[in-house]
Amino acid sequence: RLFVDGLIWALGMKFAIDQINNSTSLLPGVKLGYDMYDTCFEPVVALQPSLLFLTQNGTTGIGVLCNYTDYQPRVTAVIGPHKSDLCMVTAKLFSFFLIPQVSYGASSEQLSNTELYPSFYRTVASDKNLVEAVVLLLNRFGWNWIATVGSDDEYGRGAQGLFLSRAGNHSICIAFEGLIPTDLADPKAQHQLEDTIKLINNTKVNIIVLFAFSQPAQALLEQSIRMGLSEKVWIGTEAWILSDKTASTPNIQSIGTVLGFTMKAHTVPGFQKYVADLFTSVQQDKFCQESRKFNHLMNSDVVDTLCKECDHISLRNISSMLRHSRMQPVYVAVYSVAHALHRALGCTYHVCPKASIKSWQLLHFMNTFPFTVNGQSFKFDHTHSTNTGYKLIFWSWRNGTLTYLPVGDYEDSLYIDKSQIRFHTADQKEPTSECFRHCKPGQFKQIKGFHFCCYDCTDCPENTFWSAKDSTTCTPCLEHQWSPVRSTRCYDRSEKYLFWNEPLTIALLTLMSITISLICLTAVLFLKSLETPLVQASGGKLNLFALFALTLLCLSSCLYIGKPSNTLCMIQQIVHALCLNGCFSTFFIKSLEITLVTEFPHCAPTLLHWVTRRRAWLLVALCLLTECSFCVCYLHLGPDRLQPDYKSLPTEVLLVCTTQSWLAFALMHGYNGCVAFVCFLCTFMVRTSGKKYNIARGITFAILIYFIIWIFFIAIFATLKTVLKPVTQISTILATTLGILGTYYMPKCYIILLKPDLNTVDYFQNSIKEEPEEDPQ
């Protein structure tokens, strides 16, 4: 059969050589000869002429030498072959002899390895550049759920492998990847094509990227038409996008939209006229006679293949392909060798002084020097490739006629003129191909399955926010910030503590004012009745001191209101402990007096003066100094400190005082508990007759109230970490104060105000003595 592209490449090579031989400036005085062979796209076929090229000049054998510096093979350089898998075989052979080989179509990235293939060059770009262009195209249209198919050869496998590695880095999901056979005569090939179309159909993708040469690509497209595959967007490459055979497939318009990348290549001036003149000469008898004579003179190593279709070929058969065939890479390949020869031979524009040159001597000039072809500059890069960029081609059908419409280009970046692209959709706009719906701001992509492009949109939880930089997770807010559900930003937390203007604070302050008022009224009443038997029996001026301590204790409630600080946190507990100790120290003295009178009556006359009158104040001072020493320990071991609480409230930072050392806390408040417990032991068993007032009962009940309140307080204080913590402390203070006031002082006020007849010496004298029981007889 006739392979039109191959014929055009061969004519392009011949055209370039004829031009160079006719040039008076490039290689003056030097004529290039050539041997041309058809590879038939088969590695074994390509290997035969390759071995012939390596034979020593003038012989048919390859010399086995230790040093090939002076070895002169039959050829100076090799142009071709076109396909990557053929070059993978031949390039190793030619690289061993360091014979320059310039391919005009092999784009495999593996051939970029100059250590394995030091003498391999190509006038096309690597598949790496093509893949980058395809990925950018997919991203530009937002297509991230695609299928990719490659021909089962070096080009298809290599390009597809590169594409798969790049796609993952650009958030492109591969719903299906497959290979199609290149040997279409194989009975299994048809089943492979059918399976490929079925699997593509199951994925429900709208985009298919096809890396294949024209024959496998045509077979896949024909199969998709036969099986009724819905219209898709097909993204192709130069390997098949410009193929005349592919475009002439029956009903090819039904496959959908076809986009593809082709290399930017200029037309070669004079080539079409050259081919036309050549075909004109073929029709003349003189050409036929010369051709028959040449066939008889042909060497035995030249294969004379019979091709009936080739015998009757005309210009009309190749004219359509001639208009858009990429012949320039072949043309440039020949000129790259010619320019290297020009420099290696030391040619000027008039003469070439050297008569011969070794193949390996050309490599230096091909690596380092740019060359110009028809006014366009070319240079092999560090991978021995040339990259002129790509054009984006759109298959535009009008009245059944196909036009290859340029709609964009790619060099370092991709440009697309979307207005010229008419997609197969009803509105002619680009179709969507996504495995997910677009997430709204504040939602992150929760990946499902093994496809990272398939996900559910999930709201970001509280105290996290959605960041466009990482859409697969929600970023936690900083500790001092917060955010609602499905938020795109964080907000600074407001401070939360017990404010002065809160209703609860006002209620507590009101209760505190009432309590202080009651204490003051009680103190005034006791002051006026200071010399009465009741006040004297209750402790006299010690009562006024106790009431003053209770007043300070109530006022200390204000320390828990407002914005706390480390200093306030430290003072709170110290003031609380000292004020309470001031009250309990008076109870302690009275309890000792009661114990001496009731339990040790014989020792009472000698010891009572230690707990009465002026010496009683010494005991009060001693109790307070002891409490002060524990306060110093509290400061040394670890006082309460301000600690922001970011967890208790959703949108606010709670400023609370936190206990740093529970040992210090226990020592300071435990001492008051011990004093209270001693008071309780000294008073709870004391009895009096109904005719006498029992002062011990007031102390007992006051201490009991204190213990009950503090049992609840400690349990709550140790676990509570909310805004109610200062409320609990204020409530404890006020409850303790009211409890002491109600159980110890109110009964006495009642007697002073309402029962003045009981406020007598007889009623209170010896009231704490336990009288003997009467004889029942």
Side-chain angles (χ1 to χ4, degrees):
R1 59 181 170 78
L2 174 65
F3 180 50
V4 178
D5 285 323
L7 176 59
I8 293 174
W9 295 333
L11 294 176
M13 191 181 304
K14 185 178 184 303
F15 175 61
I17 293 173
D18 287 347
Q19 269 192 341
I20 294 167
N21 286 340
N22 293 328
S23 172
T24 58
S25 58
L26 184 57
L27 291 173
V30 177
K31 297 295 181 181
L32 298 180
Y34 61 88
D35 285 339
M36 197 176 293
Y37 291 86
D38 185 3
T39 64
C40 301
F41 285 158
E42 290 292 339
V44 175
V45 177
L47 198 58
Q48 292 175 351
S50 298
L51 292 171
L52 181 62
F53 295 158
L54 296 174
T55 59
Q56 197 163 4
N57 196 18
T59 70
T60 57
I62 301 175
V64 180
L65 305 173
C66 295
N67 188 346
Y68 284 89
T69 304
D70 296 322
Y71 185 81
Q72 185 67 51
R74 178 175 175 175
V75 299
T76 305
V78 177
I79 306 298
H82 178 266
K83 292 183 69 176
S84 296
D85 50 353
L86 302 183
C87 290
M88 298 286 285
V89 175
T90 59
K92 288 184 179 179
L93 281 175
F94 296 131
S95 291
F96 178 76
F97 288 88
L98 293 180
I99 298 175
Q101 177 186 4
V102 187
S103 174
Y104 48 89
S107 56
S108 173
E109 176 64 16
Q110 292 189 48
L111 293 168
S112 297
N113 189 338
T114 54
E115 292 185 1
L116 287 178
Y117 311 103
S119 68
F120 178 81
Y121 298 83
R122 53 187 168 191
T123 53
V124 294
S126 163
D127 286 334
K128 180 180 179 182
N129 302 87
L130 174 65
V131 164
E132 289 291 348
V134 172
V135 168
L136 287 177
L137 175 66
L138 295 172
N139 279 339
R140 186 66 58 85
F141 284 104
W143 296 327
N144 62 7
W145 182 241
I146 67 165
T148 174
V149 183
S151 52
D152 194 6
D153 52 25
E154 180 59 37
Y155 169 72
R157 290 190 300 269
Q160 190 180 64
L162 281 172
F163 176 72
L164 294 175
S165 64
R166 296 292 190 280
N169 298 329
H170 291 81
S171 300
I172 297 173
C173 253
I174 310 300
F176 169 77
E177 57 178 282
L179 295 173
I180 50 178
T182 52
D183 185 6
L184 299 174
D186 190 340
K188 296 180 181 179
Q190 188 64 27
H191 294 293
Q192 284 184 258
L193 291 171
E194 290 178 5
D195 291 342
T196 301
I197 298 299
K198 287 178 183 177
L199 290 169
I200 290 174
N201 190 48
N202 291 338
T203 59
K204 295 181 173 58
V205 298
N206 291 324
I207 313 299
I208 302 172
V209 180
L210 179 56
F211 298 103
F213 283 103
S214 57
Q215 286 179 295
Q218 182 183 358
L220 181 70
L221 294 174
E222 287 176 347
Q223 188 65 39
S224 68
I225 295 169
R226 280 196 297 269
M227 296 180 66
L229 185 68
S230 59
E231 291 180 305
K232 309 290 184 184
V233 175
W234 295 80
I235 298 176
T237 63
E238 188 171 5
W240 67 270
I241 197 75
L242 298 177
S243 170
D244 199 36
K245 278 186 170 289
T246 305
S248 61
T249 302
N251 204 22
I252 190 66
Q253 296 183 52
S254 65
I255 65 172
T257 304
V258 178
L259 294 168
F261 287 98
T262 63
M263 284 185 303
K264 287 182 180 178
H266 294 94
T267 57
V268 178
F271 178 62
Q272 291 196 23
K273 183 179 183 304
Y274 174 80
V275 175
D277 292 344
L278 192 60
F279 271 90
T280 302
S281 66
V282 167
Q283 298 172 359
Q284 298 175 2
D285 292 337
K286 183 181 178 182
F287 179 87
C288 294
Q289 292 173 4
E290 290 177 355
S291 178
R292 291 191 195 100
K293 189 185 295 185
F294 179 74
N295 287 337
H296 289 297
L297 296 173
M298 214 180 323
N299 295 329
S300 59
D301 54 11
V302 177
V303 181
D304 183 16
T305 56
L306 297 176
C307 174
K308 293 180 181 180
E309 190 176 343
C310 299
D311 292 337
H312 303 286
I313 188 173
S314 66
L315 183 61
R316 183 176 54 84
N317 298 122
I318 68 169
S319 58
S320 60
M321 285 297 291
L322 195 61
R323 286 195 299 270
H324 58 258
S325 177
R326 293 296 172 262
M327 194 278 291
Q328 190 190 32
V330 182
Y331 186 76
V332 172
V334 176
Y335 266 89
S336 68
V337 175
H339 279 277
L341 278 169
H342 177 88
R343 294 187 177 98
L345 292 171
C347 297
T348 65
Y349 289 109
H350 304 289
V351 66
C352 291
K354 288 186 180 179
S356 64
I357 192 74
K358 301 292 188 295
S359 299
W360 57 268
Q361 292 176 306
L362 296 179
L363 299 180
H364 169 70
F365 300 101
M366 295 186 73
N367 289 340
T368 56
F369 293 98
F371 57 95
T372 303
V373 180
N374 290 333
Q376 186 179 3
S377 180
F378 295 90
K379 188 178 188 302
F380 293 110
D381 60 19
H382 66 282
T383 63
H384 294 178
S385 306
T386 60
N387 183 14
T388 57
Y390 295 92
K391 284 196 299 185
L392 179 61
I393 300 297
F394 166 60
W395 276 17
S396 177
W397 293 93
R398 290 185 181 178
N399 301 322
T401 303
L402 174 61
T403 303
Y404 298 104
L405 183 64
V407 293
D409 62 72
Y410 169 78
E411 286 187 16
D412 295 326
S413 60
L414 178 65
Y415 164 75
I416 304 175
D417 185 0
K418 292 185 179 181
S419 62
Q420 295 194 59
I421 304 175
R422 298 291 182 265
F423 288 94
H424 59 269
T425 53
D427 57 359
Q428 294 189 337
K429 292 184 178 179
E430 66 264 22
T432 58
S433 188
E434 301 170 315
C435 183
F436 58 86
R437 56 191 175 89
H438 284 288
C439 293
K440 296 178 181 179
Q443 295 181 322
F444 72 97
K445 302 172 184 177
Q446 189 169 23
I447 297 171
K448 55 182 180 181
F450 59 90
H451 291 299
F452 63 86
C453 290
C454 287
Y455 52 77
D456 292 322
C457 294
T458 306
D459 292 344
C460 287
E462 289 183 353
N463 297 325
T464 63
F465 71 98
W466 175 79
S467 172
K469 294 180 180 179
D470 185 9
S471 57
T472 58
T473 58
C474 293
T475 305
C477 293
L478 297 176
E479 194 176 39
H480 66 280
Q481 294 178 323
W482 73 281
S483 66
V485 174
R486 202 168 133 183
S487 178
T488 57
R489 56 166 293 191
C490 291
Y491 305 90
D492 289 333
R493 289 176 178 266
S494 58
E495 293 180 340
K496 179 65 177 175
Y497 46 85
L498 197 60
F499 292 94
W500 287 92
N501 57 354
E502 287 186 40
L504 184 59
T505 306
I506 294 172
L508 290 172
L509 289 173
T510 303
L511 181 60
M512 183 191 74
S513 301
I514 293 171
T515 305
I516 291 174
S517 300
L518 289 175
I519 293 172
C520 291
L521 289 174
T522 303
V524 169
L525 186 61
F526 269 58
L527 182 61
K528 286 184 177 180
S529 307
L530 186 61
E531 301 301 328
T532 60
L534 183 148
V535 176
Q536 290 296 318
S538 300
K541 293 181 180 180
L542 289 175
N543 288 310
L544 298 178
F545 178 78
L547 290 170
F548 175 71
L550 289 178
T551 303
L552 293 179
L553 183 61
C554 282
L555 289 172
S556 71
S557 299
C558 297
L559 297 174
Y560 300 91
I561 304 171
K563 186 176 181 179
S565 63
N566 284 329
T567 303
L568 274 177
C569 292
M570 177 180 64
I571 293 174
Q572 286 172 359
Q573 299 301 327
I574 293 175
V575 171
H576 186 179
L578 287 173
C579 292
L580 197 60
N581 186 264
C583 179
F584 282 171
S585 62
T586 61
F587 289 171
F588 177 66
I589 292 167
K590 198 63 186 175
S591 299
L592 289 179
E593 182 184 349
I594 292 169
T595 302
L596 287 174
V597 172
T598 57
E599 300 298 329
F600 305 101
H602 300 294
C603 303
T606 56
L607 296 176
L608 274 176
H609 65 279
W610 288 101
V611 292
T612 55
R613 296 176 181 164
R614 292 184 179 179
R615 292 186 181 181
W617 290 103
L618 290 175
L619 288 177
V620 170
L622 184 61
C623 287
L624 286 171
L625 285 173
T626 305
E627 181 63 40
C628 286
S629 66
F630 284 116
C631 289
V632 172
C633 291
Y634 165 77
L635 293 174
H636 179 72
L637 292 175
D640 288 10
R641 290 190 177 277
L642 176 65
Q643 182 173 337
D645 179 8
Y646 297 100
K647 297 180 180 179
S648 297
L649 300 177
T651 64
E652 298 167 305
V653 52
L654 181 61
L655 302 180
V656 291
C657 296
T658 305
T659 303
Q660 300 296 309
S661 172
W662 285 102
L663 175 62
F665 183 89
L667 286 174
M668 187 169 59
H669 289 287
Y671 173 67
N672 281 335
C674 291
V675 172
F677 186 67
V678 171
C679 294
F680 179 77
L681 290 178
C682 292
T683 58
F684 86 102
M685 289 295 290
V686 174
R687 291 183 299 168
T688 60
S689 66
K691 298 178 181 180
K692 301 289 184 181
Y693 181 80
N694 191 345
I695 295 176
R697 286 292 168 266
I699 297 175
T700 302
F701 285 124
I703 298 303
L704 277 175
I705 290 292
Y706 164 76
F707 281 140
I708 291 169
I709 291 171
W710 265 76
I711 287 171
F712 286 102
F713 166 71
I714 291 174
I716 296 171
F717 185 78
T719 57
L720 200 65
K721 288 187 178 181
T722 67
V723 72
L724 295 177
K725 189 170 183 178
V727 174
T728 304
Q729 291 175 301
I730 294 173
S731 300
T732 301
I733 290 171
L734 296 179
T736 302
T737 304
L738 287 172
I740 293 172
L741 197 64
T743 56
Y744 188 76
Y745 291 102
M746 286 299 108
K748 296 173 177 56
C749 292
Y750 172 78
I751 292 174
I752 293 173
L753 294 174
L754 302 178
K755 296 290 184 177
D757 54 312
L758 295 179
N759 193 2
T760 61
V761 174
D762 183 55
Y763 188 69
F764 286 96
Q765 190 175 16
N766 299 327
S767 62
I768 55 175
K769 289 185 179 180
E770 184 181 9
E771 293 190 2
E773 297 181 0
E774 295 181 0
D775 189 355
Q777 296 178 354

